[in-house]
Amino acid sequence: MRSFCLLFSALLLFPAVSISQDHPTRIASVQFEGNELVSTAQLKMALRYCREGNSYVAALLPNDLLQVEKIYRDAGFLKVQLGLPDVRIQAAGEEKTAVIRITVKEGPRYTTGKLAVRETKAIAAETLMQLCPLKKNQPYSPDKASQWQARVEDSFRALGYMGARCPLRESINESGRTVDCTMECAEGKIYTVGKINIISGGAVNPLDLKKRLFFSEGGIFNPEMLSLTLQYLNQARIYEPISDSDVDMKMDDENGIVDISLRVTPRAH
């Protein structure tokens, strides 16, 4: 990643090409050199802006190079290096065209080694392992590792552990070209629903509305139930559309309590 930051800084030093709106510079071709295990077609698919046929905008090239690097890293090439792009502007009649050449040093490919979960109490480690998209001996993907972490933390929060943190520790084995990944869970305390305040812009019966909620005072706070409640209330069409901005949550971390205020307005008939 450090090499790419240097590459990004270098790109910013390039003088901007003066292009009139009437005659934008069209990208004639994008060439990759040095790629062996990831095809040129795959790398071109990763490009969002600097595609052949599009208008060339120098400021958008660094973002596309990040996408190319991501393709490699998620295929197990954790040390991929992209060279400074060679962009040649050529005259083609009344228009200008750009030829972009990008060199690639793929580096070694790393596979997934040992996977483990530690310190979990509320959910069995075996259950959390089933949420992992990484497979042993398959290419190691930092993106899949992040997905695993997010899924596990969401699972804890669904049980009320709003402060759950499950950092990942990666250990690279250079001799075997493998990456061991260990998740260390800290669930924290369970949060419960405190006061539910109904703020009405009209005649709304708070007791009737509370019966329509998928959560209740004193129950475990589950953010998914709050989202489902908003969906249900909007589908019922009893009130004006309710968005996330109509919900205020006050979290008492010391006592593990979440007070919820809900603004609703009866639908005019």
Side-chain angles (χ1 to χ4, degrees), residues 2-268:
R2 179 177 180 274
S3 65
F4 188 80
C5 291
L6 295 176
L7 182 154
F8 182 85
S9 299
L11 283 175
L12 296 180
L13 298 177
F14 274 30
V17 179
S18 177
I19 304 173
S20 68
Q21 293 183 350
D22 294 334
H23 298 286
T25 299
R26 179 179 57 82
I27 298 175
S29 69
V30 179
Q31 305 164 7
F32 290 91
E33 296 182 3
N35 57 305
E36 297 179 359
L37 298 179
V38 179
S39 70
T40 296
Q42 286 179 278
L43 298 180
K44 286 186 177 182
M45 285 295 294
L47 303 175
R48 297 180 179 177
Y49 308 106
C50 298
R51 294 189 171 192
E52 294 168 352
N54 288 358
S55 297
Y56 172 65
V57 180
L60 299 179
L61 183 54
N63 182 277
D64 271 353
L65 295 179
L66 282 173
Q67 299 305 313
V68 171
E69 185 181 67
K70 183 178 184 301
I71 287 288
Y72 266 106
R73 287 177 58 80
D74 286 335
F77 298 93
L78 305 183
K79 296 184 178 181
V80 62
Q81 294 182 5
L82 303 182
L84 187 65
D86 178 23
V87 182
R88 299 183 182 274
I89 306 298
Q90 304 173 343
E94 294 185 354
E95 69 172 6
K96 294 179 180 179
T97 61
V99 175
I100 303 173
R101 185 170 63 89
I102 303 168
T103 59
V104 179
K105 290 184 180 181
E106 294 179 329
R109 178 177 239 168
Y110 293 82
T111 58
T112 303
K114 298 177 182 178
L115 298 169
V117 177
R118 295 179 179 173
E119 305 300 328
T120 179
K121 298 177 182 178
I123 305 177
E126 293 79 4
T127 300
L128 299 180
M129 287 294 299
Q130 292 179 9
L131 299 176
C132 183
L134 293 168
K135 302 299 180 184
K136 190 173 182 179
N137 299 325
Q138 295 296 312
Y140 182 77
S141 166
D143 184 60
K144 288 184 178 179
S146 296
Q147 291 176 25
W148 183 29
Q149 180 183 18
R151 290 176 184 177
V152 170
E153 291 183 345
D154 285 346
S155 297
F156 279 117
R157 291 179 186 128
L159 296 177
Y161 295 94
M162 298 304 298
R165 295 293 181 270
C166 302
L168 289 172
R169 180 167 55 83
E170 298 171 318
S171 179
I172 298 178
N173 177 5
E174 292 292 354
S175 61
R177 302 297 190 201
T178 60
V179 181
D180 296 335
C181 191
T182 301
M183 179 179 293
E184 299 179 350
C185 300
E187 297 102 327
K189 65 180 66 175
I190 293 180
Y191 282 67
T192 58
V193 179
K195 296 180 179 179
I196 300 177
N197 301 310
I198 305 300
I199 304 172
S200 172
V204 173
N205 185 329
L207 294 178
D208 179 66
L209 176 54
K210 287 183 179 181
K211 292 179 181 179
R212 298 177 182 274
L213 308 180
F214 294 161
F215 54 89
S216 59
E217 294 178 347
I220 292 177
F221 176 70
N222 182 341
E224 292 184 6
M225 291 298 101
L226 177 57
S227 297
L228 287 174
T229 292
L230 297 187
Q231 293 179 29
Y232 161 71
L233 292 177
N234 287 332
Q235 290 173 359
R237 301 177 62 84
I238 300 173
Y239 311 100
E240 294 295 332
I242 306 170
S243 65
D244 291 339
S245 62
D246 295 313
V247 180
D248 292 325
M249 293 188 296
K250 182 179 179 182
M251 302 186 71
D252 180 351
D253 292 322
E254 182 176 354
N255 297 302
I257 296 175
V258 182
D259 292 331
I260 302 174
S261 295
L262 182 63
R263 286 182 291 275
V264 296
T265 301
R267 182 179 292 270

